[in-house]
Each structure stands twice: as structure tokens, then as C-alpha cells.
Amino acid sequence: MKINSITTKLGGSIMILFLVVLFPLMYTIDQLFTAFYVNQQKDQIKHFAAEYSTYISDVADVHSYHMFDMLSELMDADFFVFNKEGQILQSTVGSSFEKGTNVHDDLFQSIRNNQSAGMEYKADRESFFLAGHPIIVEDQVNGGLVVVSNMEEVNRSIEQVRFWLFISVVGALFIAIGFTFFVSRKLSSPLLQMEKATREIAKGNLKTNLEMAAKDEVGSLAAAITDLGRELEEYRTNRREFFANISHELRTPISYIKGYSKVLRDGLVQNEEEKNQYLRIIEEESARLTALINDLFELAKMEEGKLELHFEWLDVEDILNSAVKKVSLKASEKKIDVLLRPSADDPLLYTDGVRLEQILMNLIENAIRYSEPESTVEMYTKVEKHYIHLFIQDFGMGIPDEDAPYIFDRFYRVEKSRSRASGGTGLGLAIVKNLVELLGGDIELKSTSDKGTIFKLSFPIDKKGSVDG
Amino acid sequence: MKKLSNFIVPLFFIVFGIACLTMSSTAFHTHNPLHHLLESLLGICLFLCIPVMLGIVYMWFKKRKK
Ligand SMILES: Nc1ncnc2c1ncn2[C@@H]1O[C@H](COP(=O)(O)OP(=O)(O)OP(=O)(O)O)[C@@H](O)[C@H]1O
Ligand SMILES: [Mg+2]
């Protein structure tokens, strides 16, 4: 058993607690017994002294004392009688109170004053108790009777009781140790289990499942550890996928560039037109590569929180207009109308204009890219209590329900081949999501396959309650 | 194996403790000691069972509430 383990510490604490209670209890019980026995004995002796002193009618009549010899044998106690001068007249006691000697002064004084007296006396390592009572003859104190009892017998009984008391304390201690074993192990086992699980997680075994029945703090800690493992697991697969995606995305344009430049260098082109076509592909692919790297850089900055934002009060309508202007070329290439529906109120928003425009442009570009030619893209705003909502609606191919939850993941594209054909990398919405969150907003989407998509952006405006008009 | 010893050792302690208590509670019964031995053994076990029972009832209650 390890000394420095939680089980040992817990068990030790329980035991110490137990001893703290047990030792004073033992002492108290011992005192109780001792006092009880000694008192009982003393009372008995005093009672005898009082009783027998009444039988004596004349202190000087030494012959009447023979009955005390007999009583002394029967009761296992000794007697002596003294006269009113304190001289012992008759004694069954051995050495200490011999006939003819004077009685102890303390005893003598109180008896002379017609009071009974008790006294402890030690001789030859044995302790005695003396109980004296005055002898009254014709209403006069005529002397005293003293009963001497050896307390050793009582002390021996007390010793015996003390011994068995000690044995029972030891027994109680053992029972406590036994139960402490169970209890401390039961209490510490979830902790030990969790320690093991966390070690497993640290080692990379992330699929640890801690089944904990308890609904207390320990149980919730176990749940937290399980969640932590899951989170890490998710993070790891995410990272693995990210690297796989990134290398794939980088490799494709590079292989195009490499292939076509090789063709050009080897002079395998038949005519000028073909050459121009290849050059155009190379240019497109390098532009794509640049865009990809820029996007990645942007995302990395955002995720590390290193993106600088410049907040100011801006008119949402203005930003929408400038975004529409910027995408108008792409829209006209596909003959798509981008309509900005005017709204009743003209809200101001405390935000970063550049970033908000970037968000809008990404969404409008998507709307254009994933719609059939000659359709429309609509935009409108709505102010609702403490929020402003921006809607970007298209009537294109839509996003299937099963893809919707992943649409904001990096590199996620609904139909890889078609998206690639239209030049997408799958980073656009990831950037949008990050930016929206940085600006303190929220993004939702509603989409039906083949009917179209609506992206809804919500930003809080309650900060200074600034709704113009 | 380890599991068994984990169970046996504390059990031994408890049994030993009960034996100690039984012995000391019979110590002064010189008359018909066997009878008193059994009687006090039963008594000690009963008193021991009360808190253990309370614990078991508490656990059972908790399980049922779930
Ligand atoms: N308005 C939309 N209608 C239909 N599908 C959409 C729409 N917007 C996004 N999608 C789908 O979501 C995917 C992810 O979009 P995202 O903008 O992240 O990437 P992308 O447009 O492919 O590339 P990028 O924007 O980085 O150039 C797209 O590939 C497309 O399949
Ligand atoms: Mg896009």
C-alpha cells in the first residue's frame, strides 16, 4: 500500500477522527467507573461505622468489643475504638493503629465535634480508607469507632475493568479499521479511475469513457473528463483532415501549372490558340493558389485572434451598396440581377466596415456562383428589437439538408467537382462564420434543394440603441 | 487475487474487533459464560448492523430515485 495515495490519506483521516473521539471517551468511562467503585466502597464503610458505633454503650468496657473481632473477620475490614482523649483502646488493625497509641489528629478533631469523618491512608504501598463515627453515651461524645478498609480489593477490580475496557477499545478500533478500508476505497475509487482515464487521454487514448453513477461533483468531473477526451478527439481528426485537405488543395493547382508549363516548354503546342489557352489555365491556377493562400492566412489569423478590427458607426445600407457594386461584374457575367430591396428603417451599426463587406461579398459571390444564369439574388434588412438582420437570398441549387451542418467547415463543399469547376475552395463560409463571430453576430441558413438558399446575418444593435428614423 | 485480499483483510479486522468486544462484554459474567457470549455477540452484531443498514438504505434510496 502506498503511503502517498488518496486512499491511505482518506483512511488515515477517518482513523484519526475516530481516535479523537475514542480516547477521550475511554478516559471518561474509566473515570466514571473508578469514582463509582471507590465511592460505593467508602459509603459502605461509613455506613458500617455509623451502625456499629451505636452498639457501644461504654467505651471503657473493653470486653464488649469481642463482637468486633468476629465482624472484622466476616466483613474483611478492621476496627479500632478510642476514648475521648484519643487513645486507642482496642484495635484489630495491625501495626499502624496499635492499642495504646493516639489516634490521628484529623480524625480525632472531627469526631470530638460529634461529626463522622473519612480519611484516606497509605501504608506499605497499600491504601486504606478510614471511616470514623463518634460513640455517643448519654448525649455526650465518649470516643469514636473507626472502620479501616483496605482499598486494594477495589483497586484490583478497577484494574480489571480498565483492562477489559482497553480490550473493547482495541476491538472498536479494529472494527473501525475494517470499515475504513471499505469506505476509503469506495470514496477514492472514482478519483483513481479518473486519474487513470486522464493519463490515458494524455497518452493519446482519447476514446476514454468514464461511467460514473454519482450525480455529485465527482460525477460531473468525470463527465467533464469524458467531454474533454471527445473534444480533443474531434480536434485531432479535424486537424488531420485539415492537413489532408490543404495539401490536396495546394497540389491540384500546382500540378496543373507544372503540367501545362512543361507542355509549353517542350513545345508540344500545335498553334497559338492552344498556347494561349494553356497560358490562361496557368494564370487562373496561380490566381487560385494565391487566393487559397490568402484565405488560409486570413483564417489562421482569425483563429489565433490576431485579426485587427476597426469598429465605427456605419450605415448598413452603404455597406450593402458597396458590396453589390463590387460583385456587379461577376453578376453581369452570369446575367444575374442583384437586387437590394430598400428597407423602412435605415439602421446604424457599430461594426468593422471592411470585414462586414467581406462577409457580404463572400455570401453574394456564393449566391451568384451557385445559381443558374439569368436568375436573381435578393438582399434585404430587417430591424427587430435589439437586432438587425441581413438576408441574402438566391434561387439557385440550394444546399441539401444533410450538408447544411457542415457548410461552415473549412474545405467543405457540397459537390466537390462542380464547386471546383466554378473555382471554389470551400474556405469562404469558414471565413464568413469566423468573421461574423468576431463582429459579435450570428449566421443562420435556410435552404431547400433546387429552390434556393437564404443566409441570415444577425447583429446586436442594443449597445447604444441606435436605430435611425 | 488482489481483489480477494482487499476484501479479506478488512473483514478479518472487523471479525477480530467483534471478537474483542464480545470477550470484554462477557468478562464479568462468570455465571453461564457461554450463554452470555452468544448473547453479547448477537447484541454487538445488531448494534453494528444499525449504521451499516442506514448506509445500505440510503444507497438503495438513491438508486431508486434515479
Ligand atoms: N448560396 C448557395 N447556394 C448553394 N450552395 C451553396 C451556397 N453557398 C455555399 N454553398 C455550398 O457551400 C459550399 C461551401 O461554400 P464556401 O463559400 O465555403 O466555399 P466555395 O464557395 O466553394 O469556395 P470559396 O468561397 O472559398 O471560393 C460550396 O461549395 C457550395 O457547395
Ligand atoms: Mg464561397
Side-chain angles (χ1 to χ4, degrees):
Chain A
M1 199 198 282
K2 276 186 292 176
I3 295 291
N4 216 352
S5 93
I6 183 84
T7 316
T8 324
K9 281 180 189 165
L10 210 64
S13 311
I14 297 174
M15 283 316 293
I16 286 173
L17 214 76
F18 184 74
L19 290 182
V20 163
V21 177
L22 197 64
F23 280 155
L25 185 71
M26 188 170 84
Y27 175 76
T28 315
I29 291 176
D30 179 67
Q31 287 296 301
L32 212 65
F33 266 113
T34 310
F36 179 75
Y37 268 119
V38 169
N39 263 353
Q40 210 183 25
Q41 180 80 359
K42 284 179 181 173
D43 281 350
Q44 204 174 19
I45 293 166
K46 276 182 194 159
H47 179 73
F48 283 152
E51 280 287 302
Y52 294 130
S53 62
T54 56
Y55 289 124
I56 298 173
S57 47
D58 186 4
V59 178
D61 182 13
V62 181
H63 300 294
S64 67
Y65 298 152
H66 65 89
M67 72 164 179
F68 291 119
D69 293 340
M70 219 167 66
L71 272 173
S72 152
E73 301 235 322
L74 270 176
M75 271 178 49
D76 200 20
D78 290 302
F79 301 82
F80 63 84
V81 178
F82 58 88
N83 62 14
K84 55 182 174 221
E85 277 80 41
Q87 195 183 30
I88 295 173
L89 301 175
Q90 174 74 22
S91 170
T92 64
V93 195
S95 53
S96 317
F97 303 95
E98 264 174 88
K99 193 167 160 186
T101 53
N102 268 11
V103 75
H104 215 276
D105 209 40
D106 288 350
L107 218 55
F108 178 62
Q109 290 304 332
S110 35
I111 286 174
R112 211 177 51 170
N113 295 333
N114 198 5
Q115 274 168 353
S116 58
M119 188 182 105
E120 270 166 46
Y121 180 81
K122 267 202 165 54
D124 299 337
R125 293 224 191 92
E126 291 189 47
S127 63
F128 297 90
F129 182 71
L130 274 59
H133 203 272
I135 298 168
I136 312 285
V137 180
E138 288 160 2
D139 290 338
Q140 288 271 314
V141 178
N142 216 324
L145 170 78
V146 176
V147 182
V148 181
S149 167
N150 192 335
M151 293 301 272
E152 281 314 303
E153 189 65 29
V154 176
N155 285 349
R156 249 196 309 281
S157 300
I158 290 170
E159 288 289 279
Q160 233 172 7
V161 169
R162 196 172 284 157
F163 171 74
W164 286 110
L165 188 67
F166 178 73
I167 293 290
S168 21
V169 165
V170 168
L173 210 65
F174 272 110
I175 291 177
I177 290 173
F179 278 106
T180 306
F181 259 97
F182 285 125
V183 170
S184 60
R185 195 162 290 140
K186 177 111 182 99
L187 282 179
S188 63
S189 89
L191 275 179
L192 297 178
Q193 232 173 306
M194 275 189 275
E195 192 243 19
K196 230 193 221 155
T198 357
R199 290 230 173 283
E200 287 289 300
I201 288 176
K203 266 190 227 152
N205 248 340
L206 299 181
K207 285 228 175 68
T208 347
N209 198 14
L210 274 168
E211 282 291 331
M212 214 60 77
K215 279 228 162 65
D216 51 11
E217 289 85 345
V218 175
S220 91
L221 179 61
I225 288 173
T226 313
D227 288 350
L228 183 72
R230 296 230 172 93
E231 186 75 15
L232 269 174
E233 170 87 22
E234 209 180 293
Y235 174 76
R236 216 162 59 164
T237 47
N238 227 331
R239 207 181 59 151
R240 205 182 300 128
E241 272 172 20
F242 178 69
F243 278 121
N245 282 331
I246 220 172
S247 48
H248 177 253
E249 292 300 323
L250 289 173
R251 204 182 297 128
T252 328
I254 286 172
S255 64
Y256 273 98
I257 293 170
K258 213 167 117 190
Y260 285 111
S261 51
K262 190 172 159 53
V263 167
L264 287 172
R265 205 188 53 187
D266 291 354
L268 291 176
V269 280
Q270 257 108 50
N271 50 32
E272 196 67 13
E273 194 193 330
E274 202 176 343
K275 188 179 156 190
N276 272 343
Q277 194 194 339
Y278 290 168
L279 281 172
R280 204 176 54 243
I281 293 175
I282 289 174
E283 197 191 336
E284 265 172 22
E285 289 302 319
S286 12
R288 190 183 153 80
L289 210 55
T290 317
L292 182 71
I293 288 166
N294 282 343
D295 280 358
L296 276 174
F297 190 58
E298 193 104 300
L299 257 181
K301 267 202 296 190
M302 264 181 262
E303 283 183 357
E304 275 179 32
K306 289 209 177 116
L307 201 73
E308 275 182 36
L309 298 170
H310 304 282
F311 280 90
E312 53 193 333
W313 287 103
L314 293 167
D315 194 331
V316 175
E317 212 90 341
D318 286 349
I319 299 169
L320 282 169
N321 269 319
S322 94
V324 169
K325 225 171 269 165
K326 283 187 182 161
V327 295
S328 61
L329 186 69
K330 271 192 188 151
S332 60
E333 272 172 12
K334 261 182 122 175
K335 294 203 176 74
I336 289 175
D337 271 339
V338 181
L339 298 176
L340 180 57
R341 266 199 250 149
S343 74
D345 34 34
D346 185 17
L348 280 182
L349 191 59
Y350 189 69
T351 189
D352 183 324
V354 179
R355 298 300 167 186
L356 184 58
E357 199 183 279
Q358 191 183 355
I359 292 166
L360 291 170
M361 279 181 49
N362 254 308
L363 293 175
I364 302 168
E365 272 177 26
N366 274 356
I368 295 170
R369 192 182 284 165
Y370 303 107
S371 299
E372 298 300 315
E374 293 176 25
S375 68
T376 49
V377 173
E378 286 184 19
M379 286 190 292
Y380 46 95
T381 57
K382 217 184 248 174
V383 174
E384 194 178 82
K385 273 189 187 165
H386 308 297
Y387 287 94
I388 174 166
H389 304 290
L390 312 177
F391 297 86
I392 294 102
Q393 182 173 19
D394 68 66
F395 304 94
M397 60 186 72
I399 299 164
D401 279 348
E402 62 264 30
D403 292 300
Y406 311 108
I407 210 81
F408 296 107
D409 291 355
R410 286 173 302 205
F411 295 115
Y412 194 87
R413 288 171 302 198
V414 174
E415 238 175 283
K416 306 241 167 191
S417 56
R418 186 161 52 189
S419 171
R420 195 185 145 71
S422 51
T425 59
L427 286 174
L429 285 180
I431 291 173
V432 165
K433 173 100 177 165
N434 268 308
L435 281 176
V436 169
E437 274 167 11
L438 282 177
L439 294 182
D442 198 25
I443 183 164
E444 282 169 51
L445 85 148
K446 205 165 85 188
S447 181
T448 11
S449 277
D450 293 328
K451 289 257 168 65
T453 313
I454 306 176
F455 277 97
K456 174 179 161 195
L457 294 167
S458 315
F459 293 100
I461 48 171
D462 61 332
K463 264 188 194 157
K464 277 156 197 154
S466 60
V467 182
D468 261 10
Chain B
M1 192 56 222
K2 186 136 186 279
K3 198 110 191 170
L4 201 73
S5 80
N6 274 353
F7 192 71
I8 293 287
V9 171
L11 207 70
F12 168 78
F13 273 113
I14 292 172
V15 168
F16 191 80
I18 292 175
C20 281
L21 286 177
T22 316
M23 245 154 45
S24 54
S25 63
T26 353
F28 292 107
H29 288 295
T30 41
H31 186 72
N32 201 352
L34 192 70
H35 172 80
H36 283 293
L37 192 83
L38 292 177
E39 199 179 82
S40 51
L41 184 66
L42 202 76
I44 287 164
C45 286
L46 263 175
F47 275 110
L48 203 69
C49 277
I50 291 173
V52 173
M53 275 304 199
L54 280 179
I56 288 171
V57 164
Y58 169 72
M59 276 209 244
W60 175 77
F61 214 72
K62 228 174 52 174
K63 220 168 235 165
R64 222 186 52 162
K65 233 168 70 177
K66 280 218 311 230

